[in-house]
Amino acid sequence: MAREVLSIGQVRIHSGSATREEAMKEAADILEAVGSVTSAYFDAMQQREQTVSTYMGMELAIPHGTNETKEAILESALSVVRYDGGVDWGGEPVVFVVGIAGKGDEHLEILSKIAILFSDEDEVAKLKAVATAEELFALVSEAGV
């Protein structure tokens, strides 16, 4: 990939909870703020969620758009938000919401790295234990995301 897909400004930690829609909106807003997607991307995320849940297990959801809405993606990027109070993701408990926008096929490589990071219970425990967005960013970055 030509540039980093994640910077410290795209990582947040909230002590409270959020609804699934609020969490998706925040993920999309972060991506839009860095110029990765257009304002249409939130709608694309909602369309995807209506088709198939983006809940991945291990308290992780990865909201993203549909193939039909690829034009809303300007460049690849991620947003990483931890909700310590949790998010009810269609009946599944979610703590981490990783918004993804992948230009072309870049999303496959990004998804692979996220899947590897979140497949390890010890790594997820570390991600949940850090106190600051900077520490969370460092752990995610160390994983090559």
Side-chain angles (χ1 to χ4, degrees), residues 41 107 112-114 125 140 142:
Y41 200 64
H107 67 286
S112 172
K113 290 177 180 178
I114 294 167
V140 173
E142 284 172 21

Side-chain angles (χ1 to χ4, degrees), residues 29-68:
D29 287 350
I30 292 169
L31 295 172
E32 186 178 354
V34 297
S36 174
V37 300
T38 69
S39 59
Y41 200 64
F42 174 61
D43 291 335
M45 283 180 164
Q46 290 183 303
Q47 287 174 28
R48 165 69 68 202
E49 204 64 41
Q50 289 169 2
T51 308
V52 62
S53 175
T54 56
Y55 172 73
M56 301 292 158
M58 298 290 277
E59 300 180 287
L60 169 68
I62 307 177
H64 56 283
T66 63
N67 288 334
E68 296 75 37

Side-chain angles (χ1 to χ4, degrees), residues 18-28 31 45 48-49 52-65 78-83 86-101 110-111 114-115 117-119 124 127:
T19 66
R20 179 170 54 180
E21 185 167 289
E22 289 166 343
M24 280 196 299
K25 179 74 170 123
E26 183 168 17
L31 295 172
M45 283 180 164
R48 165 69 68 202
E49 204 64 41
V52 62
S53 175
T54 56
Y55 172 73
M56 301 292 158
M58 298 290 277
E59 300 180 287
L60 169 68
I62 307 177
H64 56 283
L78 286 176
S79 58
V80 177
V81 185
R82 190 180 83 194
Y83 295 93
V87 179
D88 178 345
W89 207 274
E92 299 291 348
V94 165
V95 173
F96 295 95
V97 177
V98 178
I100 184 169
I110 298 166
L111 280 171
I114 294 167
L117 176 62
F118 279 89
S119 67
V124 174
L127 295 170

